Amino acid sequence: MITTTQAQQYDIVVPHCCLLGEGPVWDEQTGSICWIDLLNGRIHEYTHAANLFRTLPVNDLIGAVALCENGDFIAGLKEGLMIVNRNNGTTRLLQHPEAHLPQNRYNDGKCDPMGRFWIGSTSLNNTVKAGNLYTLNNDLTCAIAIKGVTMSNGMAWSPDNKTFYYIDTPTFEVAAFDYDIETGQISNKRIAFTIPRTEGLPDGMTIDSEGMLWIAHWDGWQVARWNPDSGRKLFSFRLPAAFITSCTFGGDELQDLYITSACAGLSEKQHEEQPLAGSLFVIRNCGFKGMKPAIFRYP
């Protein structure tokens, strides 16, 4: 397998490090990049044109956010799936499908092309297959899409809206499903490809306009571009942090690649060696373009 690692210059978006940065989301209406600090319970937002960095505390573990039509956030908090007012941080509960499982929390989440919110769960105690993947529909009903996952992570929909890709991190596998855009149903699971363990654990994921998957590799120092049809690693961007957590495209033409990272779990020596761990990185004009970000649609 021939791959290329590129040392293209990255920028630090803001001089701030998260404990566990995750879930970057591009807001094309405001030209802002939003991301979370999962452990500190904060939503961060940076607007480049105004050079404005804002932090919205939600006072709870937060696994993921997505944008709503009115500009607010839909978020997976420890205490449920909630609307977060973007101005003042107040929350409104929509659903809590795991209220009966206090040992779980919500993890990665994303909107599908029809504006449904997909959100996975994981055990606080690392219990194997204790989590599930849920779909929060446009009418606010909630259903299980995949049962029995361990660490629900990366999600992406193919450009033709026919395939759903999904990562359960400890499996090192990227699964593919047939996806029905009208109903939101997934079927015909197969393993698109398996990540070699030497690459680091597969974490968050996005997809580009050519249908190639971009995967953040926890303990892999990289975000890598993979061909889901052949399973071939096309190349990677190396970064100055071991724990790379997620990525998304942003910018006026979705030409910039935003990448989150974490510093939680590093030893004192590792902190000294990785002073930028926990930063939000951006590779401007990365050479590829992303898909238009989907937003949550509800009554």
Side-chain angles (χ1 to χ4, degrees):
M1 181 183 296
I2 300 173
T3 61
T4 301
T5 297
Q6 294 194 207
Q8 184 164 341
Q9 182 61 44
Y10 58 81
D11 291 326
I12 305 298
V13 176
V14 291
H16 172 82
C17 290
C18 295
L19 270 179
L20 181 47
E22 266 286 4
V25 176
W26 176 253
D27 183 348
E28 61 178 351
Q29 297 300 316
T30 63
S32 304
I33 185 68
C34 307
W35 70 107
I36 62 172
D37 189 337
L38 191 154
L39 297 176
N40 279 324
R42 295 170 183 165
I43 303 172
H44 297 306
E45 177 180 353
Y46 178 73
T47 307
H48 180 75
N51 191 27
L52 177 65
F53 175 51
R54 298 176 60 231
T55 295
L56 196 64
V58 294
N59 303 312
D60 196 4
L61 294 175
I62 179 170
V65 295
L67 289 164
C68 301
E69 286 183 297
N70 68 353
D72 286 340
F73 296 109
I74 170 76
L77 305 184
K78 172 68 173 66
E79 297 304 316
L81 310 182
M82 302 192 186
I83 296 296
V84 179
N85 185 294
R86 195 163 175 176
N87 294 318
N88 56 32
T90 57
T91 59
R92 177 165 65 91
L93 180 66
L94 297 180
Q95 285 278 5
H96 192 3
E98 294 203 343
H100 62 297
L101 298 173
Q103 70 277 16
N104 280 9
R105 66 167 176 84
Y106 298 103
N107 202 51
D108 205 358
K110 196 169 289 188
C111 285
D112 75 5
M114 290 295 282
R116 306 175 187 94
F117 185 54
W118 296 58
I119 181 82
S121 63
T122 188
S123 167
L124 290 166
N125 303 314
N126 300 315
T127 303
V128 175
K129 296 186 178 181
N132 303 287
L133 177 67
Y134 297 91
T135 305
L136 182 62
N137 297 302
N138 305 121
D139 62 1
L140 302 185
T141 59
C142 195
I144 293 180
I146 305 174
K147 293 181 179 180
V149 299
T150 300
M151 178 59 74
S152 187
N153 259 312
M155 301 171 215
W157 288 263
S158 61
D160 64 4
N161 297 325
K162 292 183 178 180
T163 305
F164 170 63
Y165 298 103
Y166 175 73
I167 292 171
D168 183 2
T169 290
T171 68
F172 284 86
E173 296 171 346
V174 178
F177 298 80
D178 293 342
Y179 167 69
D180 187 321
I181 189 172
E182 296 301 326
T183 66
Q185 296 296 308
I186 56 174
S187 60
N188 187 29
K189 179 184 177 181
R190 61 268 187 199
I191 303 306
F193 60 98
T194 301
I195 304 285
R197 292 176 181 264
T198 53
E199 299 286 353
L201 287 152
D203 200 327
M205 176 169 64
T206 192
I207 196 165
D208 64 28
S209 60
E210 298 175 12
M212 301 296 106
L213 295 172
W214 295 75
I215 298 175
H217 291 265
W218 179 272
D219 206 18
W221 303 80
Q222 64 175 324
V223 59
R225 187 178 191 241
W226 295 83
N227 184 321
D229 296 321
S230 66
R232 182 169 178 251
K233 180 185 176 185
L234 303 177
F235 65 83
S236 66
F237 290 124
R238 297 290 295 180
L239 293 153
F243 298 154
I244 304 304
T245 57
S246 193
C247 56
T248 198
F249 289 92
D252 294 341
E253 298 182 3
L254 301 175
Q255 76 282 5
D256 302 328
L257 186 65
Y258 287 91
I259 305 160
T260 50
S261 65
C263 64
L266 295 179
S267 67
E268 183 176 347
K269 183 172 186 290
Q270 289 172 321
H271 271 287
E272 294 174 356
E273 294 169 344
Q274 303 175 45
L276 296 177
S279 296
L280 175 67
F281 303 100
V282 60
I283 299 173
R284 303 196 187 278
N285 297 307
C286 71
F288 302 90
K289 293 185 178 181
M291 302 289 293
K292 183 176 180 179
I295 58 177
F296 181 54
R297 294 183 169 87
Y298 69 106

